[in-house]
PDB file of all heavy atoms in Angstrom:
ATOM      1  N   VAL I 438     -19.427  24.062 -28.323  1.00  0.00           N
ATOM      2  CA  VAL I 438     -19.045  24.864 -29.490  1.00  0.00           C
ATOM      3  C   VAL I 438     -20.231  24.990 -30.445  1.00  0.00           C
ATOM      4  O   VAL I 438     -20.518  26.067 -30.967  1.00  0.00           O
ATOM      5  CB  VAL I 438     -17.829  24.214 -30.179  1.00  0.00           C
ATOM      6  CG1 VAL I 438     -17.591  24.859 -31.541  1.00  0.00           C
ATOM      7  CG2 VAL I 438     -16.604  24.319 -29.297  1.00  0.00           C
ATOM      8  N   PHE I 439     -20.957  23.872 -30.635  1.00  0.00           N
ATOM      9  CA  PHE I 439     -22.037  23.900 -31.618  1.00  0.00           C
ATOM     10  C   PHE I 439     -23.356  24.432 -31.054  1.00  0.00           C
ATOM     11  O   PHE I 439     -24.173  24.963 -31.785  1.00  0.00           O
ATOM     12  CB  PHE I 439     -22.247  22.500 -32.205  1.00  0.00           C
ATOM     13  CG  PHE I 439     -21.091  22.049 -33.041  1.00  0.00           C
ATOM     14  CD1 PHE I 439     -20.235  21.064 -32.593  1.00  0.00           C
ATOM     15  CD2 PHE I 439     -20.843  22.644 -34.282  1.00  0.00           C
ATOM     16  CE1 PHE I 439     -19.159  20.665 -33.356  1.00  0.00           C
ATOM     17  CE2 PHE I 439     -19.770  22.244 -35.042  1.00  0.00           C
ATOM     18  CZ  PHE I 439     -18.924  21.253 -34.584  1.00  0.00           C
ATOM     19  N   PHE I 440     -23.566  24.245 -29.774  1.00  0.00           N
ATOM     20  CA  PHE I 440     -24.860  24.629 -29.200  1.00  0.00           C
ATOM     21  C   PHE I 440     -24.684  25.628 -28.061  1.00  0.00           C
ATOM     22  O   PHE I 440     -25.312  25.510 -27.027  1.00  0.00           O
ATOM     23  CB  PHE I 440     -25.596  23.384 -28.681  1.00  0.00           C
ATOM     24  CG  PHE I 440     -25.844  22.350 -29.744  1.00  0.00           C
ATOM     25  CD1 PHE I 440     -24.985  21.269 -29.890  1.00  0.00           C
ATOM     26  CD2 PHE I 440     -26.935  22.450 -30.601  1.00  0.00           C
ATOM     27  CE1 PHE I 440     -25.201  20.324 -30.864  1.00  0.00           C
ATOM     28  CE2 PHE I 440     -27.151  21.494 -31.576  1.00  0.00           C
ATOM     29  CZ  PHE I 440     -26.280  20.429 -31.718  1.00  0.00           C
ATOM     30  N   HIS I 441     -23.795  26.616 -28.262  1.00  0.00           N
ATOM     31  CA  HIS I 441     -23.508  27.497 -27.134  1.00  0.00           C
ATOM     32  C   HIS I 441     -24.731  28.290 -26.710  1.00  0.00           C
ATOM     33  O   HIS I 441     -24.848  28.720 -25.572  1.00  0.00           O
ATOM     34  CB  HIS I 441     -22.334  28.422 -27.449  1.00  0.00           C
ATOM     35  CG  HIS I 441     -22.611  29.400 -28.545  1.00  0.00           C
ATOM     36  ND1 HIS I 441     -23.178  30.612 -28.288  1.00  0.00           N
ATOM     37  CD2 HIS I 441     -22.398  29.333 -29.872  1.00  0.00           C
ATOM     38  CE1 HIS I 441     -23.302  31.266 -29.431  1.00  0.00           C
ATOM     39  NE2 HIS I 441     -22.836  30.501 -30.401  1.00  0.00           N
ATOM     40  N   ARG I 442     -25.698  28.470 -27.606  1.00  0.00           N
ATOM     41  CA  ARG I 442     -26.909  29.193 -27.219  1.00  0.00           C
ATOM     42  C   ARG I 442     -27.722  28.426 -26.184  1.00  0.00           C
ATOM     43  O   ARG I 442     -28.528  28.996 -25.458  1.00  0.00           O
ATOM     44  CB  ARG I 442     -27.770  29.461 -28.453  1.00  0.00           C
ATOM     45  CG  ARG I 442     -27.414  30.750 -29.117  1.00  0.00           C
ATOM     46  CD  ARG I 442     -28.137  30.904 -30.430  1.00  0.00           C
ATOM     47  NE  ARG I 442     -27.177  31.302 -31.466  1.00  0.00           N
ATOM     48  CZ  ARG I 442     -26.640  32.504 -31.528  1.00  0.00           C
ATOM     49  NH1 ARG I 442     -26.926  33.401 -30.643  1.00  0.00           N
ATOM     50  NH2 ARG I 442     -25.793  32.810 -32.497  1.00  0.00           N
ATOM     51  N   GLN I 443     -27.549  27.122 -26.167  1.00  0.00           N
ATOM     52  CA  GLN I 443     -28.273  26.341 -25.160  1.00  0.00           C
ATOM     53  C   GLN I 443     -27.486  26.173 -23.867  1.00  0.00           C
ATOM     54  O   GLN I 443     -28.057  25.960 -22.806  1.00  0.00           O
ATOM     55  CB  GLN I 443     -28.579  24.941 -25.711  1.00  0.00           C
ATOM     56  CG  GLN I 443     -29.582  24.966 -26.826  1.00  0.00           C
ATOM     57  CD  GLN I 443     -30.338  23.651 -26.913  1.00  0.00           C
ATOM     58  OE1 GLN I 443     -30.540  22.975 -25.928  1.00  0.00           O
ATOM     59  NE2 GLN I 443     -30.760  23.317 -28.103  1.00  0.00           N
ATOM     60  N   LEU I 444     -26.155  26.210 -24.005  1.00  0.00           N
ATOM     61  CA  LEU I 444     -25.347  25.897 -22.841  1.00  0.00           C
ATOM     62  C   LEU I 444     -24.826  27.117 -22.094  1.00  0.00           C
ATOM     63  O   LEU I 444     -24.579  27.061 -20.906  1.00  0.00           O
ATOM     64  CB  LEU I 444     -24.141  25.024 -23.251  1.00  0.00           C
ATOM     65  CG  LEU I 444     -24.361  23.527 -23.121  1.00  0.00           C
ATOM     66  CD1 LEU I 444     -25.415  23.030 -24.063  1.00  0.00           C
ATOM     67  CD2 LEU I 444     -23.071  22.792 -23.316  1.00  0.00           C
ATOM     68  N   SER I 445     -24.643  28.220 -22.802  1.00  0.00           N
ATOM     69  CA  SER I 445     -24.011  29.365 -22.157  1.00  0.00           C
ATOM     70  C   SER I 445     -24.893  30.583 -22.324  1.00  0.00           C
ATOM     71  O   SER I 445     -24.789  31.289 -23.316  1.00  0.00           O
ATOM     72  CB  SER I 445     -22.643  29.638 -22.777  1.00  0.00           C
ATOM     73  OG  SER I 445     -21.946  28.450 -22.909  1.00  0.00           O
ATOM     74  N   LEU I 446     -25.752  30.798 -21.347  1.00  0.00           N
ATOM     75  CA  LEU I 446     -26.670  31.929 -21.418  1.00  0.00           C
ATOM     76  C   LEU I 446     -26.368  32.897 -20.291  1.00  0.00           C
ATOM     77  O   LEU I 446     -25.875  32.509 -19.243  1.00  0.00           O
ATOM     78  CB  LEU I 446     -28.112  31.425 -21.289  1.00  0.00           C
ATOM     79  CG  LEU I 446     -28.616  30.634 -22.491  1.00  0.00           C
ATOM     80  CD1 LEU I 446     -29.956  30.003 -22.175  1.00  0.00           C
ATOM     81  CD2 LEU I 446     -28.725  31.505 -23.723  1.00  0.00           C
ATOM     82  N   PRO I 447     -26.682  34.189 -20.503  1.00  0.00           N
ATOM     83  CA  PRO I 447     -26.434  35.148 -19.417  1.00  0.00           C
ATOM     84  C   PRO I 447     -27.394  34.964 -18.261  1.00  0.00           C
ATOM     85  O   PRO I 447     -27.151  35.447 -17.169  1.00  0.00           O
ATOM     86  CB  PRO I 447     -26.633  36.511 -20.095  1.00  0.00           C
ATOM     87  CG  PRO I 447     -27.454  36.235 -21.294  1.00  0.00           C
ATOM     88  CD  PRO I 447     -27.143  34.851 -21.737  1.00  0.00           C
ATOM     89  N   ASN I 448     -28.516  34.304 -18.499  1.00  0.00           N
ATOM     90  CA  ASN I 448     -29.402  34.045 -17.369  1.00  0.00           C
ATOM     91  C   ASN I 448     -30.112  32.708 -17.564  1.00  0.00           C
ATOM     92  O   ASN I 448     -30.050  32.111 -18.632  1.00  0.00           O
ATOM     93  CB  ASN I 448     -30.429  35.164 -17.202  1.00  0.00           C
ATOM     94  CG  ASN I 448     -31.007  35.562 -18.542  1.00  0.00           C
ATOM     95  OD1 ASN I 448     -31.210  34.716 -19.408  1.00  0.00           O
ATOM     96  ND2 ASN I 448     -31.247  36.858 -18.732  1.00  0.00           N
ATOM     97  N   GLY I 449     -30.743  32.234 -16.510  1.00  0.00           N
ATOM     98  CA  GLY I 449     -31.392  30.931 -16.606  1.00  0.00           C
ATOM     99  C   GLY I 449     -32.459  30.788 -15.556  1.00  0.00           C
ATOM    100  O   GLY I 449     -32.546  31.578 -14.613  1.00  0.00           O
ATOM    101  N   PRO I 450     -33.321  29.766 -15.692  1.00  0.00           N
ATOM    102  CA  PRO I 450     -34.441  29.601 -14.761  1.00  0.00           C
ATOM    103  C   PRO I 450     -34.087  28.768 -13.533  1.00  0.00           C
ATOM    104  O   PRO I 450     -33.236  27.895 -13.603  1.00  0.00           O
ATOM    105  CB  PRO I 450     -35.472  28.862 -15.619  1.00  0.00           C
ATOM    106  CG  PRO I 450     -34.648  28.065 -16.569  1.00  0.00           C
ATOM    107  CD  PRO I 450     -33.347  28.779 -16.782  1.00  0.00           C
ATOM    108  N   VAL I 451     -34.763  29.083 -12.432  1.00  0.00           N
ATOM    109  CA  VAL I 451     -34.667  28.283 -11.213  1.00  0.00           C
ATOM    110  C   VAL I 451     -36.079  28.150 -10.661  1.00  0.00           C
ATOM    111  O   VAL I 451     -36.869  29.086 -10.753  1.00  0.00           O
ATOM    112  CB  VAL I 451     -33.765  28.971 -10.167  1.00  0.00           C
ATOM    113  CG1 VAL I 451     -33.783  28.192  -8.860  1.00  0.00           C
ATOM    114  CG2 VAL I 451     -32.358  29.103 -10.675  1.00  0.00           C
ATOM    115  N   LEU I 452     -36.414  26.997 -10.099  1.00  0.00           N
ATOM    116  CA  LEU I 452     -37.745  26.828  -9.533  1.00  0.00           C
ATOM    117  C   LEU I 452     -37.903  27.676  -8.282  1.00  0.00           C
ATOM    118  O   LEU I 452     -36.948  27.902  -7.535  1.00  0.00           O
ATOM    119  CB  LEU I 452     -37.989  25.360  -9.182  1.00  0.00           C
ATOM    120  CG  LEU I 452     -38.122  24.402 -10.371  1.00  0.00           C
ATOM    121  CD1 LEU I 452     -38.313  22.978  -9.876  1.00  0.00           C
ATOM    122  CD2 LEU I 452     -39.277  24.792 -11.279  1.00  0.00           C
ATOM    123  N   GLY I 453     -39.129  28.135  -8.068  1.00  0.00           N
ATOM    124  CA  GLY I 453     -39.405  28.932  -6.883  1.00  0.00           C
ATOM    125  C   GLY I 453     -39.371  28.100  -5.614  1.00  0.00           C
ATOM    126  O   GLY I 453     -39.513  26.878  -5.662  1.00  0.00           O
ATOM    127  N   PRO I 454     -39.206  28.742  -4.467  1.00  0.00           N
ATOM    128  CA  PRO I 454     -39.061  28.018  -3.201  1.00  0.00           C
ATOM    129  C   PRO I 454     -40.266  27.152  -2.860  1.00  0.00           C
ATOM    130  O   PRO I 454     -40.124  26.159  -2.159  1.00  0.00           O
ATOM    131  CB  PRO I 454     -38.900  29.117  -2.158  1.00  0.00           C
ATOM    132  CG  PRO I 454     -38.706  30.368  -2.893  1.00  0.00           C
ATOM    133  CD  PRO I 454     -39.106  30.194  -4.302  1.00  0.00           C
ATOM    134  N   GLU I 455     -41.438  27.534  -3.347  1.00  0.00           N
ATOM    135  CA  GLU I 455     -42.611  26.720  -3.012  1.00  0.00           C
ATOM    136  C   GLU I 455     -42.939  25.696  -4.091  1.00  0.00           C
ATOM    137  O   GLU I 455     -43.967  25.031  -4.036  1.00  0.00           O
ATOM    138  CB  GLU I 455     -43.820  27.636  -2.760  1.00  0.00           C
ATOM    139  CG  GLU I 455     -43.709  28.325  -1.425  1.00  0.00           C
ATOM    140  CD  GLU I 455     -44.625  29.527  -1.310  1.00  0.00           C
ATOM    141  OE1 GLU I 455     -45.498  29.684  -2.178  1.00  0.00           O
ATOM    142  OE2 GLU I 455     -44.445  30.303  -0.360  1.00  0.00           O
ATOM    143  N   HIS I 456     -42.068  25.625  -5.097  1.00  0.00           N
ATOM    144  CA  HIS I 456     -42.348  24.697  -6.205  1.00  0.00           C
ATOM    145  C   HIS I 456     -41.166  23.778  -6.463  1.00  0.00           C
ATOM    146  O   HIS I 456     -40.969  23.319  -7.579  1.00  0.00           O
ATOM    147  CB  HIS I 456     -42.693  25.482  -7.467  1.00  0.00           C
ATOM    148  CG  HIS I 456     -43.851  26.385  -7.287  1.00  0.00           C
ATOM    149  ND1 HIS I 456     -45.149  25.987  -7.520  1.00  0.00           N
ATOM    150  CD2 HIS I 456     -43.925  27.659  -6.870  1.00  0.00           C
ATOM    151  CE1 HIS I 456     -45.980  26.991  -7.260  1.00  0.00           C
ATOM    152  NE2 HIS I 456     -45.269  28.018  -6.861  1.00  0.00           N
ATOM    153  N   LEU I 457     -40.375  23.514  -5.444  1.00  0.00           N
ATOM    154  CA  LEU I 457     -39.205  22.656  -5.605  1.00  0.00           C
ATOM    155  C   LEU I 457     -39.589  21.307  -6.182  1.00  0.00           C
ATOM    156  O   LEU I 457     -40.653  20.774  -5.866  1.00  0.00           O
ATOM    157  CB  LEU I 457     -38.514  22.445  -4.262  1.00  0.00           C
ATOM    158  CG  LEU I 457     -37.682  23.609  -3.728  1.00  0.00           C
ATOM    159  CD1 LEU I 457     -37.071  23.223  -2.404  1.00  0.00           C
ATOM    160  CD2 LEU I 457     -36.603  24.000  -4.726  1.00  0.00           C
ATOM    161  N   CYS I 458     -38.745  20.780  -7.020  1.00  0.00           N
ATOM    162  CA  CYS I 458     -38.910  19.460  -7.624  1.00  0.00           C
ATOM    163  C   CYS I 458     -40.080  19.391  -8.603  1.00  0.00           C
ATOM    164  O   CYS I 458     -39.957  18.818  -9.684  1.00  0.00           O
ATOM    165  CB  CYS I 458     -39.117  18.357  -6.588  1.00  0.00           C
ATOM    166  SG  CYS I 458     -37.758  18.198  -5.462  1.00  0.00           S
ATOM    167  N   LEU I 459     -41.250  19.954  -8.230  1.00  0.00           N
ATOM    168  CA  LEU I 459     -42.448  19.686  -9.018  1.00  0.00           C
ATOM    169  C   LEU I 459     -42.811  20.803  -9.993  1.00  0.00           C
ATOM    170  O   LEU I 459     -43.629  20.596 -10.879  1.00  0.00           O
ATOM    171  CB  LEU I 459     -43.630  19.440  -8.072  1.00  0.00           C
ATOM    172  CG  LEU I 459     -43.409  18.255  -7.124  1.00  0.00           C
ATOM    173  CD1 LEU I 459     -44.487  18.222  -6.059  1.00  0.00           C
ATOM    174  CD2 LEU I 459     -43.373  16.963  -7.910  1.00  0.00           C
ATOM    175  N   GLY I 460     -42.230  21.979  -9.821  1.00  0.00           N
ATOM    176  CA  GLY I 460     -42.605  23.101 -10.680  1.00  0.00           C
ATOM    177  C   GLY I 460     -42.177  22.896 -12.126  1.00  0.00           C
ATOM    178  O   GLY I 460     -41.415  21.987 -12.445  1.00  0.00           O
ATOM    179  N   ARG I 461     -42.719  23.745 -13.011  1.00  0.00           N
ATOM    180  CA  ARG I 461     -42.311  23.665 -14.416  1.00  0.00           C
ATOM    181  C   ARG I 461     -41.239  24.712 -14.673  1.00  0.00           C
ATOM    182  O   ARG I 461     -41.371  25.871 -14.285  1.00  0.00           O
ATOM    183  CB  ARG I 461     -43.522  23.917 -15.314  1.00  0.00           C
ATOM    184  CG  ARG I 461     -44.453  22.711 -15.399  1.00  0.00           C
ATOM    185  CD  ARG I 461     -45.617  22.982 -16.342  1.00  0.00           C
ATOM    186  NE  ARG I 461     -45.179  23.249 -17.718  1.00  0.00           N
ATOM    187  CZ  ARG I 461     -45.416  24.380 -18.370  1.00  0.00           C
ATOM    188  NH1 ARG I 461     -46.053  25.371 -17.784  1.00  0.00           N
ATOM    189  NH2 ARG I 461     -45.018  24.530 -19.620  1.00  0.00           N
TER     190      ARG I 461
END
Side-chain angles (χ1 to χ4, degrees):
Chain I
V438 168
F439 292 108
F440 301 97
H441 66 88
R442 271 172 228 288
Q443 292 207 30
L444 266 65
S445 314
L446 290 171
N448 44 36
V451 175
L452 291 178
E455 285 163 12
H456 302 270
L457 284 180
C458 300
L459 300 170
R461 283 182 61 240

